[in-house]
Amino acid sequence: MSKLTYIAELCQNHLGKEKYVDKMLERCAISGADIVKLQFIYSRNLSFRSQFENGLSNGKKIIDIRRPYQAEFNRLKKLELPMSFYKKFIKRCKYFGVRPMITCFAREDLVKIQDLGFKNIKVASYDCGSFPMIREICKKFKNIFISTGATFDDEIKKTKLICQKYKVNPAFLHCVTIYPTLQKDFNLKRISFLKSLTRNVGYSDHSPATNNKKNFASMAAIYFGARYIERHITILEPNMTKDGVVSIKPEDIKKIKYFAQLEKSEMKKYLSENFNVDFKQIAGKQKRKLSDTELLNRNYYRGRFCSKIIINGQIRDLFNWEEKSF
């Protein structure tokens, strides 16, 4: 039997509307979520990198994906929540008996997040190897959750050592940064690798949410030993948000929490009977090379956001991995 902590990730499925956050929060709490999470994303932190304006290909292989700055800036600007809303969100979480969490994407926002009153903080996959950011987070927070998708093993190990130095025991979440993540790419044996670093191990689920297998990956991850499940949640139709295709409804949380209460033998039976699962396939490899798709995503998303600093009277980007301070 697994003691599961469920993290409901609201991401940008709120479309920048406070009323959608409130509705999702209430329904997630009623459905059994333990933690409800927002993302602290502001368009001002988006970095301009010329190689992604048109993308780059050598004719046979994509080298850089195409993601023009201005279109992304405009999209994010519409999704921003007022700074004042985050304090309301924390109060609402307390009212509904769930813990609030936030994902930080730029080092300069850590003080703001701390001042707002957040105690639980999430590090996105692409910042698992941003060691200066990890150090700064460890100085300010003790409840740290770190996704490990598109991150090399040596980076994960070094991040663990940094956390140890500051007496922080992080939760590492296995995930695969392919959106959506198909069954052949689950590689749930990675959970065992992460368990060699910390007992607090979970799974961030980006599998398709528009078919009858929408809860399969989360359940399978629990069977493989995940103690935390993070999943994008929506109350809108899948085509209404960028993350809709990988986002489940709040009521699906109940099914996953129920599954987590089963004995392991019962879990295996349930998975076999309901999903006709190939356990060898979803197990994958404990240690593996990142796929071309994961490397492309890493190349774009690692550095997508930055802090702004002034050097010699000029504003420049400070990336999360740079060994410089403000």
Side-chain angles (χ1 to χ4, degrees):
M1 186 182 295
S2 171
K3 170 61 177 172
L4 180 71
T5 298
Y6 197 95
I7 305 167
E9 161 67 283
L10 306 189
C11 52
Q12 289 135 52
N13 284 335
H14 50 67
L15 298 179
K17 298 182 184 297
E18 297 176 28
K19 65 178 182 180
Y20 287 157
V21 176
D22 287 339
K23 288 178 182 177
M24 284 193 284
L25 169 57
E26 181 175 5
R27 285 171 59 178
C28 286
I30 291 171
S31 297
D34 302 284
I35 297 173
V36 179
K37 185 168 81 67
L38 286 174
Q39 297 180 348
F40 202 80
I41 287 184
Y42 285 92
S43 55
R44 63 172 181 265
N45 294 116
L46 188 68
S47 65
F48 175 84
R49 295 163 296 162
S50 59
Q51 66 266 41
F52 301 109
E53 288 301 291
N54 296 302
L56 182 62
S57 171
N58 63 8
K60 294 181 179 179
K61 187 176 180 180
I62 297 173
I63 299 171
D64 291 312
I65 65 173
R66 183 178 183 274
R67 197 82 171 263
Y69 171 86
Q70 195 59 53
E72 185 67 358
F73 181 93
N74 294 341
R75 184 184 75 83
L76 291 173
K77 190 69 178 174
K78 295 176 183 177
L79 300 173
E80 292 178 356
L81 291 166
M83 194 77 68
S84 59
F85 177 73
Y86 290 99
K87 284 195 173 183
K88 296 177 187 175
F89 173 74
I90 291 173
K91 288 181 180 178
R92 292 282 284 168
C93 284
K94 184 176 180 180
Y95 174 80
F96 283 112
V98 298
R99 286 179 279 162
M101 186 189 286
I102 195 80
T103 304
C104 181
F105 292 92
R107 287 159 62 187
E108 68 179 7
D109 289 331
L110 286 171
V111 173
K112 297 171 191 170
I113 287 171
Q114 186 181 41
D115 290 345
L116 285 167
F118 283 96
K119 305 296 183 186
N120 301 281
I121 191 165
K122 171 76 188 298
V123 178
S125 287
Y126 304 102
D127 282 317
C128 180
S130 296
F131 306 128
M133 183 180 192
I134 297 294
R135 283 195 291 270
E136 290 169 13
I137 288 174
C138 286
K139 291 175 184 178
K140 293 176 171 61
F141 301 90
K142 294 302 177 186
N143 301 321
I144 302 174
F145 296 75
I146 305 173
S147 278
T148 61
T151 305
F152 300 118
D153 290 357
D154 62 332
E155 292 174 326
I156 300 171
K157 290 175 182 177
K158 184 170 179 178
T159 288
K160 169 60 180 177
L161 290 176
I162 292 171
C163 292
Q164 264 183 335
K165 179 180 177 181
Y166 291 95
K167 296 181 170 55
V168 170
N169 188 20
F172 280 137
L173 307 183
H174 166 53
C175 73
V176 179
T177 48
I178 300 173
Y179 312 100
T181 306
L182 302 181
Q183 187 169 315
K184 65 182 179 62
D185 297 313
F186 286 177
N187 285 291
L188 294 177
K189 272 189 177 179
R190 291 287 290 172
I191 292 171
S192 296
F193 164 67
L194 295 177
K195 279 188 172 183
S196 69
L197 303 176
T198 177
R199 64 186 181 86
N200 298 322
V201 175
Y203 179 62
S204 186
D205 185 352
H206 298 120
S207 63
T210 54
N211 58 36
N212 60 4
K213 284 191 172 184
K214 59 184 175 179
N215 298 319
F216 169 56
S218 290
M219 291 177 176
I222 294 168
Y223 173 76
F224 274 81
R227 296 180 58 198
Y228 301 88
I229 292 294
E230 179 191 37
R231 189 76 196 267
H232 289 201
I233 302 294
T234 188
I235 57 174
L236 304 173
E237 293 302 311
N239 63 350
M240 292 181 68
T241 67
K242 184 175 180 292
D243 295 319
V245 70
V246 296
S247 303
I248 60 173
K249 293 293 190 286
E251 289 68 32
D252 283 305
I253 298 171
K254 295 178 184 177
K255 300 170 185 176
I256 297 163
K257 292 291 291 265
Y258 169 80
F259 177 85
Q261 297 304 309
L262 300 176
E263 298 295 337
K264 190 157 187 178
S265 59
E266 295 174 317
M267 288 182 183
K268 186 171 185 179
K269 182 180 178 183
Y270 182 95
L271 291 171
S272 300
E273 291 178 349
N274 288 275
F275 301 110
N276 191 29
V277 58
D278 181 340
F279 286 93
K280 184 177 181 180
Q281 181 192 49
I282 64 173
K285 296 179 179 179
Q286 188 174 127
K287 298 208 172 180
R288 66 186 183 92
K289 291 183 178 179
L290 297 175
S291 67
D292 289 345
T293 300
E294 290 169 287
L295 289 170
L296 278 173
N297 285 334
R298 174 187 167 99
N299 193 28
Y300 172 75
Y301 284 99
R302 191 169 192 263
R304 180 186 180 207
F305 294 106
C306 62
S307 303
K308 306 294 180 179
I309 59 173
I310 298 176
I311 296 180
N312 298 326
Q314 292 187 326
I315 298 175
R316 63 148 286 193
D317 293 344
L318 176 68
F319 292 100
N320 293 334
W321 62 81
E322 290 187 89
E323 292 289 350
K324 294 180 181 290
S325 59
F326 297 101

